[in-house]
Amino acid sequence: MNTSDAERLATVLKQLGYQETNNEKEADLIGVIACSVRQAAVDRIYGKLREWQLVKVKRPLITLLSGCVLPQDRKKFKDKFDLFIDINHLDHIATDLKNLAPEEKLALSDFFSIDPSYQSDYRAYVPIMTGCNKFCTYCAVPYTRGREMSRPSGQIIDEVKNLLSQGYKEIILLGQNVNSYGLDRKEEIKFPELLKKIDGLGKNFWLKFLTSHPYDMSDELIATMSKAQNLSHYLHLPVQSGSDAVLKKMNRHYTVAHYKKLIKKIREAIADIAISTDIIVGFPTETEVQFKETLKLVKEVGYNTAYFAQYSPRVGTAATKMFKDDVPKTTKKKRWQELNKLIGQQSLNFNKKLIGKTALVLIDQNEKIDKNYLNLGKLANYTTVKINTSKPLKIGGFVKVKITKALNWGVEGAIIKK
Ligand code: SF4
């Protein structure tokens, strides 16, 4: 979602006459997209701000904060950023910038109808909704982005059609909770129907969606997924904790038993599906026994990968008001390391099972090393693939490979000659 936010912000700025640069030294304006969950990510902004203050002494520079910005962040960063922009109201940028740079003016539309300039010419992130009604206690989204708001399905379908006609190979539908797509609009189709329609728009592309909330994952959606032609056999299903008591404190609306039942149903419908998850370790009051329950669940589910973080209280969220951040940093770190080791083993086991299989790889980068090329790409299930070739492979193209070796972080593959 941060990538998609950044793409939309960049588009609006381009419409205002700015050009994108990867070199901060060249920038007249720097925009930061704040994270919804981790305070540590927000705090990292401070270091950058100090650098930018030094630049400002020498030349004009506008700094802008957007994304998940809580009132507390605004207070904290008051006087440090020149502008705060509500991500749902990027149309306000023109007016706000006008006060700083009077020559800029433009009429802009709302977030969804911005036609973004995508960072990639083969992989596109397409937002289908924004906001969330779940109110997990550690998360800022419901306060910063507001309640769930679905994008009209016609607009989404048009954007995907357009991307496919331009040759895009991977479409990733985005929302804080895609499973509740359409629930806020009586007249709108719901997520399984939307997925079916998008799946039917073409052939030979990869379709994915992020993120699913376990509470809202319906049987109808699982059945639709199992029949889809283009949908990657990959699902990101955040569990956050393997302890019912912690899940309750997180206000996640499901139990471990519900989650396990869901995984069973999904695997029965799509046997080779790769499942990844998000986990927070060291949530307030989490005991050693409760953490062990998380390890147990991770072992039982057998994720191919997981994204996990040590809890850092996001100031302004419910958790910071309800609980004391009482798990010592050293304990959080120890739990993180234990989980890291387990997930590493699981990834390696998952990768080993791929040896000997043939699969399509979408190439992301290549680099010349001595006389040969090291190409890196992704399988449909997001596993990274390393391929050595004598000529570089086309970035953004599909190649068929045979998996030859399992690595901790991915696999090696060899091109299959046609
Ligand atoms: S489901 Fe929870 S974590 Fe995800 S966006 Fe909504 S409130 Fe935040």
Side-chain angles (χ1 to χ4, degrees):
M1 190 50 103
N2 283 359
T3 304
S4 174
D5 285 351
E7 284 177 346
R8 275 171 159 72
L9 178 61
T11 304
V12 170
L13 292 169
K14 275 182 199 162
Q15 290 173 8
L16 289 166
Y18 286 89
Q19 284 178 337
E20 201 170 332
T21 175
N22 287 327
N23 182 359
E24 271 188 28
K25 287 184 185 148
E26 288 179 355
D28 301 305
L29 183 151
I30 294 176
V32 176
I33 302 287
C35 174
S36 59
V37 176
R38 289 176 310 141
Q39 186 62 33
V42 176
D43 291 341
R44 225 180 298 149
I45 297 172
Y46 278 110
K48 299 302 294 181
L49 278 168
R50 270 193 293 276
E51 278 176 36
W52 299 333
Q53 289 304 339
L54 294 176
V55 176
K56 280 175 168 213
V57 174
K58 294 181 193 150
R59 65 175 180 86
L61 172 70
I62 298 172
T63 53
L64 176 162
L65 181 63
S66 190
C68 285
V69 184
L70 283 160
Q72 284 82 350
D73 301 323
R74 286 189 74 133
K75 219 162 138 195
K76 199 191 277 177
F77 291 115
K78 193 171 175 270
D79 305 329
K80 294 195 171 62
F81 278 93
D82 299 306
L83 287 179
F84 293 93
I85 300 287
D86 182 338
I87 195 70
N88 292 325
H89 292 288
L90 289 176
D91 50 324
H92 292 185
I93 290 188
T95 324
D96 292 349
L97 270 179
K98 215 164 140 186
N99 299 329
L100 298 166
E103 71 280 8
E104 319 279 15
K105 57 174 185 295
L106 191 84
L108 293 164
S109 42
D110 67 274
F111 178 80
F112 284 145
S113 53
I114 293 165
D115 197 7
S117 47
Y118 305 96
Q119 284 177 11
S120 156
D121 56 9
Y122 58 93
R123 174 179 293 129
Y125 295 96
V126 178
I128 64 166
M129 62 183 301
T130 183
C132 187
N133 296 354
K134 285 286 179 289
F135 289 90
C136 301
T137 53
Y138 53 81
C139 179
V141 165
Y143 312 102
T144 56
R145 287 181 178 265
R147 305 298 174 270
E148 289 166 358
M149 196 166 61
S150 301
R151 185 180 181 191
S153 56
Q155 213 181 69
I156 302 168
I157 290 167
D158 284 349
E159 185 174 341
V160 177
K161 262 189 200 161
N162 187 26
L163 288 163
L164 295 179
S165 71
Q166 291 175 50
Y168 272 78
K169 301 288 193 309
E170 188 172 15
I171 305 292
I172 302 158
L173 306 178
L174 288 181
Q176 267 76 27
N177 178 16
V178 291
N179 298 352
S180 50
Y181 173 81
L183 297 180
D184 58 311
R185 288 171 173 251
K186 238 186 188 166
E187 75 291 355
E188 197 45 276
I189 55 173
K190 308 302 168 230
F191 188 55
E193 187 61 26
L194 178 72
L195 200 61
K196 209 192 282 176
K197 281 188 189 280
I198 294 177
D199 181 53
L201 290 178
K203 284 187 177 150
N204 305 326
F205 73 98
W206 287 350
L207 178 61
K208 294 185 171 74
F209 57 83
L210 289 170
T211 294
S212 288
H213 192 292
Y215 179 83
D216 293 318
M217 186 127 198
S218 65
D219 290 353
E220 190 192 352
L221 176 59
I222 298 171
T224 306
M225 286 167 64
S226 70
K227 288 180 206 135
Q229 299 295 309
N230 297 295
L231 192 75
S232 300
H233 285 185
Y234 166 79
L235 178 71
H236 185 66
L237 197 64
V239 67
Q240 305 299 4
S241 169
S243 152
D244 281 342
V246 176
L247 287 174
K248 200 161 184 207
K249 286 181 179 161
M250 289 176 166
N251 197 29
R252 288 291 290 174
H253 307 278
Y254 55 83
T255 60
V256 173
H258 172 90
Y259 187 88
K260 286 203 290 195
K261 209 167 142 194
L262 198 53
I263 295 281
K264 190 167 174 272
K265 273 191 213 168
I266 295 164
R267 289 221 163 107
E268 275 166 9
I270 311 166
D272 64 344
I273 195 159
I275 301 174
S276 63
T277 197
D278 292 332
I279 295 170
I280 297 172
V281 297
F283 190 78
T285 74
E286 184 191 63
T287 63
E288 199 54 34
V289 171
Q290 288 166 340
F291 172 65
K292 291 277 181 293
E293 287 178 329
T294 301
L295 292 180
K296 185 168 170 266
L297 179 72
V298 168
K299 281 183 199 154
E300 278 176 41
V301 174
Y303 297 104
N304 73 315
T305 191
Y307 305 89
F308 41 99
Q310 298 170 43
Y311 175 74
S312 65
R314 181 80 167 87
V315 181
T317 56
T320 58
K321 293 172 201 147
M322 293 163 73
F323 313 110
K324 196 168 158 249
D325 181 22
D326 59 354
V327 179
K329 271 190 182 160
T330 46
T331 309
K332 286 181 188 169
K333 194 171 167 199
K334 200 177 128 277
R335 290 179 188 169
W336 186 95
Q337 285 166 338
E338 217 173 318
L339 192 58
N340 188 30
K341 200 170 153 202
L342 176 60
I343 299 284
Q345 280 164 359
Q346 288 199 337
S347 288
L348 184 61
N349 292 344
F350 181 87
N351 295 341
K352 278 183 182 164
K353 285 188 197 145
L354 297 174
I355 295 175
K357 295 202 167 141
T358 56
L360 277 184
V361 178
L362 185 56
I363 302 299
D364 282 316
Q365 48 175 293
N366 50 48
E367 188 190 340
K368 194 168 186 196
I369 297 178
D370 298 327
K371 285 182 186 162
N372 286 326
Y373 285 84
L374 167 67
N375 307 273
L376 290 176
K378 291 262 187 284
L379 297 179
N381 63 22
Y382 271 139
T383 304
T384 301
V385 188
K386 184 176 149 186
I387 311 162
N388 289 308
T389 52
S390 55
K391 285 186 186 156
L393 297 172
K394 185 176 171 279
I395 292 175
F398 281 128
V399 290
K400 205 170 189 184
V401 299
K402 184 167 185 172
I403 310 297
T404 53
K405 193 175 170 186
L407 308 164
N408 279 329
W409 50 270
V411 293
E412 275 184 27
I415 302 271
I416 296 179
K417 302 261 182 316
K418 284 179 193 156

